[in-house]
Amino acid sequence: MNAAVRAVVRMGIYVKAKVYFVYEGYQGMVDGGDNIVEVSWESVSSILQVGGTVIGSARCKSFRTREGRLQAAYNLVQRGITNLCVIGGDGSLTGANLFREEWSGLLEELAQKGQIDEEAVKKYAYLNIVGMVGSIDNDFCGTDMTIGTDSALHRIIEVVDAIMTTAQSHQRTFVLEVMGRHCGYLALVSALACGADWVFIPEYPPEEGWEDSMCVKLSENRARKKRLNIIIVAEGAIDCHNKPITSEKVKDLVVQRLGFDTRVTILGHVQRGGTPSAFDRILASRMGVEAVLALLEATPATPACVVSLSGNQAVRLPLMECVQMTQEVQKAMDEGRFVEAVRLRGRSFENNLNTYKLLSHKKPDAELPKTNFNVAVLNVGAPAAGMNAAVRAAVRVGITEGHKMFAVIDGFEGFARGKIKEISWGDVGGWTGQGGSILGTKRTLPAKYLEKIADQMRTNNINALMVIGGFEAYESCLQLHEARSRFEEFCIPICVLPATISNNVPGTDFSIGADTALNAIVETCDRIKQSASGPKLRVFIIETMGGYCGYLANMGALAAGADAAYIFEEQFDIRELQANVEHLTEKMKTSIQRGLVLRNENCNENYTTDFIYQLYSEEGKGVFDCRKNVLGHMQQGGAPSPFDRNFGTKISAKAMQWISKKLKETYRKGKVFANTDDSVCLLGMRRRNLVFQPVAELKTETDFVHRIPKEQWWLKLRPLMKILAKYKTSYDVSDSGQLEHVAMHSPKEAETGAI
């Protein structure tokens, strides 16, 4: 929430508005006095990395009464406030909408009582409201992610990872209870991200007789030598008769039926706390700026709206449509219409549920179809967190579809040497949380080994290929595509999944691994900033990875609250460096104590990190001193973030289904033959959708010399970073959200769907 508060304040000041804090939620609005305070630029300095909210939040009984709202209206009019930005859940937003509807009536009543004059009634005739959804449950319809959800998932996954090591040692079953009274999002996504054995959520109660099927599954897993079982229970979990399923009930069941050593862990308010994740900071900053733009453009005729995220796109939706749909879900659940409830939750939720069902339960061999197709999976390029989650999903979906799955060790080099083996369902158990690449990965491109690779494909009868990796993976598949005229073995369906911390692959907004790297950068920046507390004024120059792609530097700067980010995509000269130094020096003369400057490793061959460090040191003499830090390979390592585990799992499952479809289409006269452009595709996320794009068509979008896409969506967020760092710049509003309606999607859409 603090990132959103900061963005609203700074964007508000940037557009020359007066900005006020209302402390303690609606209670502060009703009480007035010192609870409503005008704020300045510096008021929101250094709050980006703080959890919770600096302006406080409180449930308020008096605001539910007309008298309370009358008093609140009086307090706002006294200060000339007619634009409200509300960050909260559906209760807070419904209250705000009611307040707006009653506004003119409230002013008239105040005038009748003689508390305000007729002039004020005319001047402040309309109240504009924009909502941002801050809720860790992600229970608000119309938005893919609410502010706080990703951070809550980070807390849950940290706990699950820690529990997994102890459970492995002791051969235990753990029952984990996570928050979500009315919404199973946290439980479902954390189950997907850690490969839990069973999950209980309110929207999808287990079928009659679930006790037996769960115990059978747990004992089968033990028989397969799996040392731990994890069961995740949402606090609002119910059975199909609407009776609660508690974590204690699940534990007792496992102990009585199976005699397994079982422990319960209730996470509780741990999930609400801690430092916000990089994703949440960027989301909240984007939403905060969007909220101010929406208020500026609001007219008495536009309905109160919420700003939210659909895929990677900022959108505005009518507040009451979202609230009504959120209430519809609850109604559907109360009436036992659970299929409907899942559908109303939206594409993203439905996708998560379908993927979880696909990956968690292995059908008996006798029930699996037999296609006689062999599909190989390999990693290419540098390691990226989340690669293993993608391999696991590919293997399991492939087996479910009836294929024989093969793993290639050490990329195309390993392929040429015949390092290829069949891989089973159980082999990939527990892979989602592992960092790096378990299969091993190399940057080597296939061009110099084409003959040997073709031989291995013939020997092992490989009918399709899934390549998971960065720019090299994309280039490799281009080479295989171009070599088809010489080698018939490459005339098979091939799919590339983008996985690189640099996020420099054309055809996709996000790559597997970039979110984990971004979190590593932001965490380090937070620590570095903390090291400078005290009377000393200090500026830190931090170098990030990314090759020629400035994604990590730019987004890291946005999430860490940096003053500048130097990137290759936006050329800069000595005059700009000079202006940045002067800007920082001016800032340091106020109450600001430290500065942060990020530099992409290849942004300029002459203005190196050392050069920039020396320049800032010299020019800042007498005002601040300087330190530099090269982050290096720590950005590549670590356990994958919840976003990367999920993104990897979901796009990989989708890619495998595409491969199956292509195999059926191209199977003629006893063999697979695919030689069209659309049989070598890259699966990427483009704005709101996941799209399969032929690699041959992506060539025109690629700068091969610098290994980056020619156009990159995140460059539109550059001005946002500069505005939040107090630069005068023009903000392109062409990409800001237009008011849309909440779309009801058909079941078919869930398949094309969002992340």
Side-chain angles (χ1 to χ4, degrees):
M1 279 180 163
N2 285 328
V5 169
R6 171 179 176 269
V8 170
V9 169
R10 293 195 167 173
M11 187 67 182
I13 291 170
Y14 173 77
V15 297
K16 310 278 191 293
K18 273 187 171 187
V19 186
Y20 291 82
F21 273 168
V22 178
Y23 287 101
E24 309 309 332
Y26 289 131
Q27 191 65 55
M29 205 191 292
V30 174
D31 295 345
D34 292 344
N35 290 307
I36 307 176
V37 184
E38 189 179 346
V39 288
S40 68
W41 185 270
E42 284 85 27
S43 307
V44 289
S45 180
S46 297
I47 66 168
L48 199 54
Q49 63 271 29
V50 182
T53 166
V54 292
I55 53 177
S57 172
R59 297 193 190 282
C60 175
K61 283 207 177 91
S62 47
F63 193 73
R64 292 182 178 172
T65 65
R66 188 172 167 91
E67 289 71 48
R69 292 193 290 277
L70 191 68
Q71 187 56 43
Y74 173 73
N75 290 328
L76 292 186
V77 169
Q78 287 300 297
R79 294 164 179 82
I81 297 172
T82 53
N83 292 290
L84 266 190
C85 182
V86 182
I87 312 172
D90 57 349
S92 317
L93 298 178
T94 311
N97 193 58
L98 176 63
F99 191 40
R100 178 182 192 250
E101 284 169 358
E102 289 181 352
W103 182 257
S104 51
L106 292 170
L107 293 201
E108 274 162 29
E109 196 175 320
L110 287 169
Q112 280 161 14
K113 288 184 173 177
Q115 288 181 273
I116 60 171
D117 54 26
E118 283 302 323
E119 181 61 29
V121 175
K122 282 192 196 122
K123 192 175 174 190
Y124 306 122
Y126 302 106
L127 178 71
N128 295 319
I129 278 180
V130 170
M132 281 188 270
V133 193
S135 151
I136 65 164
D137 294 342
N138 203 18
D139 56 358
F140 197 77
C141 291
T143 171
D144 280 356
M145 279 296 252
T146 56
I147 296 166
T149 306
D150 189 65
S151 301
L153 284 171
H154 272 260
R155 299 298 88 81
I156 295 170
I157 294 303
E158 280 159 18
V159 172
V160 174
D161 285 354
I163 278 176
M164 276 184 153
T165 49
T166 164
Q168 287 268 10
S169 322
H170 291 280
Q171 264 195 307
R172 276 193 180 138
T173 298
F174 267 88
V175 181
L176 237 78
E177 185 180 300
V178 300
M179 279 184 167
R181 261 200 314 276
H182 306 295
C183 177
Y185 184 88
L186 288 178
L188 178 58
V189 174
S190 44
L192 198 56
C194 72
D197 296 86
W198 204 274
V199 64
F200 293 98
I201 57 172
E203 294 87 345
Y204 186 76
E207 290 161 8
E208 201 76 73
W210 60 268
E211 297 89 345
D212 297 332
S213 16
M214 184 181 82
C215 290
V216 166
K217 177 161 192 243
L218 295 179
S219 47
E220 274 176 5
N221 279 349
R222 276 292 160 95
R224 283 203 209 109
K225 301 277 191 295
K226 187 176 176 187
R227 295 181 62 87
L228 82 155
N229 304 105
I230 286 194
I231 299 164
I232 294 182
V233 184
E235 60 181 330
I238 47 173
D239 64 16
C240 48
H241 305 298
N242 254 334
K243 298 268 187 303
I245 295 176
T246 63
S247 40
E248 279 301 327
K249 181 179 172 180
V250 175
K251 175 200 162 175
D252 294 343
L253 182 77
V254 175
V255 172
Q256 284 159 17
R257 297 261 189 112
L258 302 170
F260 288 173
D261 185 359
T262 306
R263 298 281 190 276
V264 172
T265 301
I266 296 173
L267 291 188
H269 281 73
V270 165
Q271 296 158 87
R272 281 193 190 283
T275 311
S277 66
F279 182 94
D280 265 336
R281 297 181 197 194
I282 292 165
L283 169 69
S285 301
R286 285 175 74 182
M287 297 299 100
V289 168
E290 187 69 33
V292 174
L293 293 175
L295 283 173
L296 290 177
E297 292 163 22
T299 65
T302 49
C305 74
V306 285
V307 292
S308 79
L309 196 68
S310 172
N312 185 27
Q313 179 74 27
V315 292
R316 300 176 194 174
L317 301 163
L319 190 147
M320 285 323 286
E321 281 186 28
C322 296
V323 169
Q324 277 153 7
M325 196 146 141
T326 305
Q327 288 164 351
E328 282 292 307
V329 180
Q330 193 53 48
K331 201 169 144 210
M333 277 157 41
D334 292 343
E335 293 169 8
R337 294 180 286 121
F338 295 108
V339 176
E340 180 74 356
V342 169
R343 195 168 70 85
L344 286 167
R345 275 273 179 246
R347 298 192 301 177
S348 169
F349 190 91
E350 204 166 350
N351 254 343
N352 282 322
L353 185 60
N354 293 338
T355 310
Y356 177 77
K357 289 194 290 198
L358 206 59
L359 296 174
S360 61
H361 302 278
K362 181 179 192 284
K363 288 181 182 162
D365 289 347
E367 285 177 33
L368 289 173
K370 278 280 178 286
T371 61
N372 293 325
F373 290 132
N374 294 347
V375 181
V377 184
L378 74 161
N379 291 158
V380 178
M387 276 182 163
N388 300 320
V391 173
R392 168 185 176 264
V395 168
R396 291 197 168 178
V397 175
I399 289 170
T400 307
E401 304 259 321
H403 314 316
K404 228 185 200 176
M405 296 302 298
F406 287 84
V408 179
I409 314 299
D410 297 338
F412 282 108
E413 204 172 299
F415 211 153
R417 293 188 182 147
K419 290 163 100 174
I420 178 167
K421 59 171 200 270
E422 194 180 337
I423 187 164
S424 70
W425 182 282
D427 292 339
V428 291
W431 278 28
T432 42
Q434 307 271 345
S437 159
I438 296 173
L439 292 183
T441 178
K442 281 265 173 77
R443 288 179 184 270
T444 321
L445 295 175
K448 55 180 186 180
Y449 297 116
L450 287 174
E451 219 157 279
K452 287 180 175 169
I453 294 170
D455 279 350
Q456 289 298 334
M457 286 175 111
R458 205 169 38 248
T459 312
N460 293 289
N461 190 23
I462 300 298
N463 309 114
L465 204 55
M466 189 190 285
V467 186
I468 304 167
F471 200 86
E472 289 91 353
Y474 158 68
E475 272 192 293
S476 301
C477 293
L478 265 175
Q479 291 181 354
L480 295 180
H481 176 259
E482 282 156 13
R484 278 175 162 182
S485 53
R486 302 194 335 260
F487 300 98
E488 206 179 280
E489 289 81 0
F490 302 145
C491 295
I492 57 172
I494 300 173
C495 191
V496 190
L497 292 190
T500 165
I501 67 164
S502 308
N503 198 23
N504 63 334
V505 180
T508 187
D509 290 356
F510 294 116
S511 306
I512 300 164
D515 183 69
T516 306
L518 206 49
N519 274 296
I521 291 168
V522 169
E523 225 168 89
T524 312
C525 288
D526 286 352
R527 289 185 182 186
I528 286 172
K529 271 161 76 175
Q530 242 174 1
S531 74
S533 40
K536 268 200 173 138
L537 301 182
R538 206 163 258 179
V539 172
F540 294 96
I541 316 290
I542 293 172
E543 183 188 298
T544 67
M545 285 171 104
Y548 284 98
C549 178
Y551 178 82
L552 289 179
N554 189 65
M555 301 307 261
L558 187 56
D563 296 276
Y566 299 116
I567 59 172
F568 171 76
E569 291 88 345
E570 199 174 277
Q571 292 298 309
F572 56 95
D573 56 20
I574 195 71
R575 283 178 294 280
E576 196 167 326
L577 286 170
Q578 182 66 30
N580 290 155
V581 176
E582 284 165 14
H583 185 261
L584 246 178
T585 313
E586 283 311 304
K587 250 179 160 178
M588 289 290 196
K589 287 176 184 167
T590 64
S591 59
I592 308 275
Q593 288 190 314
R594 49 194 172 273
L596 197 58
V597 175
L598 269 67
R599 177 191 176 274
N600 158 269
E601 57 184 353
N602 289 346
C603 65
N604 186 304
E605 57 181 326
N606 296 316
Y607 298 141
T608 59
T609 303
D610 282 333
F611 176 87
I612 291 174
Y613 161 66
Q614 284 160 351
L615 178 77
Y616 273 75
S617 298
E618 183 59 37
E619 298 294 318
K621 259 188 191 157
V623 184
F624 56 78
D625 63 356
C626 242
R627 294 284 182 275
K628 65 170 179 188
N629 218 313
V630 176
L631 298 185
H633 279 73
M634 60 159 286
Q635 296 160 82
Q636 258 181 24
S641 67
F643 180 91
D644 280 333
R645 295 180 194 202
N646 237 348
F647 186 53
T649 299
K650 275 161 49 173
I651 65 170
S652 177
K654 199 174 166 63
M656 204 64 220
Q657 289 164 328
W658 176 86
I659 284 178
S660 297
K661 188 171 117 260
K662 285 286 175 206
L663 282 168
K664 285 191 191 93
E665 285 171 11
T666 56
Y667 186 66
R668 299 274 178 285
K669 298 179 186 161
K671 64 181 277 200
V672 172
F673 185 75
N675 66 343
T676 52
D677 282 357
D678 68 354
S679 58
V680 187
C681 278
L682 180 138
L683 173 55
M685 168 127 171
R686 280 275 169 100
R687 289 170 94 85
R688 298 195 195 187
N689 294 305
L690 288 173
V691 218
F692 289 96
Q693 302 145 101
V695 289
E697 285 173 20
L698 289 173
K699 266 173 88 166
T700 54
E701 295 178 26
T702 312
D703 168 355
F704 284 98
V705 178
H706 300 103
R707 299 156 54 93
I708 50 174
K710 286 178 185 168
E711 280 188 22
Q712 305 189 72
W713 68 274
W714 51 266
L715 284 168
K716 285 194 172 150
L717 299 184
R718 283 285 287 176
L720 188 79
M721 188 207 88
K722 290 178 181 174
I723 289 167
L724 296 178
K726 213 174 185 173
Y727 281 92
K728 302 269 184 292
T729 181
S730 60
Y731 188 62
D732 172 17
V733 291
S734 63
D735 206 41
S736 67
Q738 298 307 310
L739 192 67
E740 304 178 7
H741 291 287
V742 181
M744 279 295 301
H745 68 286
S746 62
K748 187 77 204 131
E749 234 183 275
E751 291 163 32
T752 60
I755 289 301

